Amino acid sequence: DTGVSQDPRHKITKRGQNVTFRCDPISEHNRLYWYRQTLGQGPEFLTYFQNEAQLEKSRLLSDRFSAERPKGSFSTLEIQRTEQGDSAMYLCASSLVGLEQFFGPGTRLTVL
Amino acid sequence: AQTVTQSQPEMSVQEAETVTLSCTYDTSESDYYLFWYKQPPSRQMILVIRQEAYKQQNATENRFSVNFQKAAKSFSLKISDSQLGDAAMYFCAYGGGNEKLTFGTGTRLTIIP
């Protein structure tokens, strides 16, 4: 296990379609975070899990967004009825409680 | 809510010289962490250095060091002997009690050969 992986790396979709991203954290890490990064900005927190429990959701996460982490391993982030404003890089990070977060390469979403 | 401000959108430095990137933050918490992350072009974000707020001693990692001024809520990053591989976006980040990170807007560092 060499780090956090994310799939796909790039996704192009049409407005109104649903998309799902996957994140595989470092295996022993119990915390998993999702961030969104738009061009020229720093990442913004979306949500995080400790094991399988979703502990916090940002107000940025509208009802069209849902995240899961079944069995406390990989996580998925789904966006329903995508809008052009959803175009961004979606970053996943994992950590052990209280320690540094390790980031994945991100999934770049383009909504046409 | 915590905020992180990086007032230098771009910086450049001659190779082998020293450069300092600025960061200020605002928080009402007393126990927290501060981080500098590096994001090279089209590559993933990696941690450069971290500082625990309860520690008075400034963190260092090889050529990277910080100047942490808790009362002033300032957390600058000094890169010594700059190398071409240091070229990247640098993000200052705050981690509080819930451990989610709040990032600044970043500083793009260019290394001039």
Side-chain angles (χ1 to χ4, degrees), chain A residues 4 9 31 33 35 37 40-43 45 48 56 91 96-101 103-105, chain B residues 33 35 37 39 42-47 50 89 91 97-106:
Chain A
V4 179
R9 295 291 304 277
R31 285 213 172 177
Y33 304 79
Y35 294 86
Q37 185 178 21
Q41 299 296 316
F45 169 79
Y48 84 98
E56 186 173 344
L91 298 171
L96 291 170
V97 174
L99 298 180
E100 67 181 85
Q101 295 181 24
F103 282 81
Chain B
Y33 296 86
F35 305 87
Y37 278 88
Q39 189 176 41
S42 302
R43 294 180 60 189
Q44 64 201 77
M45 196 164 317
I46 58 175
L47 180 68
R50 91 174 195 169
M89 283 291 288
F91 291 98
N98 58 12
E99 299 181 22
K100 70 182 183 184
L101 296 180
T102 300
F103 287 85
T105 51

Side-chain angles (χ1 to χ4, degrees), chain A residues 4-9 19-25 31-37 42-51 53-61 65-70 73-79 88-95 101-109, chain B residues 99-103:
Chain A
V4 179
S5 61
Q6 293 187 245
D7 184 69
R9 295 291 304 277
V19 294
T20 300
F21 310 140
R22 176 179 171 125
C23 171
D24 286 272
R31 285 213 172 177
L32 187 148
Y33 304 79
W34 285 99
Y35 294 86
R36 181 171 67 188
Q37 185 178 21
E44 295 174 295
F45 169 79
L46 292 178
T47 188
Y48 84 98
F49 294 82
Q50 181 163 318
N51 300 315
Q54 188 173 17
L55 297 187
E56 186 173 344
K57 293 170 59 173
S58 165
R59 283 173 290 180
L60 292 175
L61 216 62
F65 288 71
S66 62
E68 295 182 341
R69 192 183 181 195
S73 55
F74 71 92
S75 176
T76 59
L77 177 68
E78 181 183 15
I79 309 174
M89 177 75 85
Y90 290 84
L91 298 171
C92 175
S94 70
S95 74
Q101 295 181 24
F102 291 82
F103 282 81
T107 294
R108 182 170 296 283
L109 173 66
Chain B
E99 299 181 22
K100 70 182 183 184
L101 296 180
T102 300
F103 287 85

